[in-house]
Amino acid sequence: MIDGIEIENFRCFKRLRLPDLRRINVLVGDNASGKTAFLEAVFLARAGGPQIALKLRHLRGLGRDLEVSYERQSYESLWRPLFHRFDQDQIISIELLSSGPDSRSLHIFYDKAGAPVLPFGKQAVESERITPR
């Protein structure tokens, strides 16, 4: 059971801390107030794999198929909507707090020193098709 959650720099949340969650919680709010983003944060932290970002795009109705090239801008465009105010210089942090073994931490950020590089001798591919399952 999740006892608390801390979210930073994720979608509409600059910082959200809810330390006292119960067995049953009800999310109530106006349209576009963060209810879906809150559930996505929990979903993303529980799943913990990069393919989940593609699944979230699909669940939001942003399409099953998308084109991705080897250019950094193309790759980063997949992740940009997850960052608060689309600021990819910040670190997304989602902490699921539990008194048992269910605690989880997720941090999403770019390694500024690293850059996507094609292996030596390989030809660049104009684009690849990625389909979430």
Side-chain angles (χ1 to χ4, degrees):
M1 185 171 100
I2 299 171
D3 298 324
I5 187 168
E6 296 178 6
I7 303 170
E8 291 186 21
N9 299 311
F10 181 74
R11 293 209 188 265
C12 62
F13 301 115
K14 176 64 179 160
R15 173 173 277 155
L16 174 69
R17 293 172 193 249
L18 299 173
D20 297 318
L21 296 177
R22 307 283 188 230
R23 281 185 83 62
I24 297 176
N25 298 279
V26 178
L27 297 176
V28 178
D30 293 333
N31 289 343
S33 63
K35 299 179 302 291
T36 299
F38 177 84
L39 294 174
E40 287 176 338
V42 173
F43 181 68
L44 192 61
R46 293 290 295 167
Q51 72 279 9
I52 297 304
L54 297 175
K55 183 71 170 174
L56 289 178
R57 286 181 56 86
H58 175 66
L59 291 173
R60 279 191 173 251
L62 298 174
R64 285 187 56 86
D65 299 330
L66 58 117
E67 295 279 330
V68 180
S69 72
Y70 284 108
E71 296 172 1
R72 185 178 183 118
Q73 182 179 10
S74 174
Y75 175 77
E76 288 182 0
S77 70
L78 292 172
W79 299 94
R80 186 173 295 115
L82 299 179
F83 287 83
H84 177 67
R85 295 189 176 168
F86 307 101
D87 184 359
Q88 294 175 293
D89 291 328
Q90 301 298 317
I91 296 173
I92 294 173
S93 176
I94 304 171
E95 306 275 339
L96 301 180
L97 309 170
S98 173
S99 54
D102 293 331
S103 292
R104 301 265 177 130
S105 262
L106 175 71
H107 304 282
I108 301 172
F109 60 94
Y110 292 107
D111 180 1
K112 298 296 182 186
V117 178
L118 289 174
F120 182 75
K122 298 282 185 180
Q123 293 292 325
V125 177
E126 179 130 354
S127 66
E128 287 185 355
R129 187 164 215 130
I130 300 176
T131 306
R133 296 186 192 262

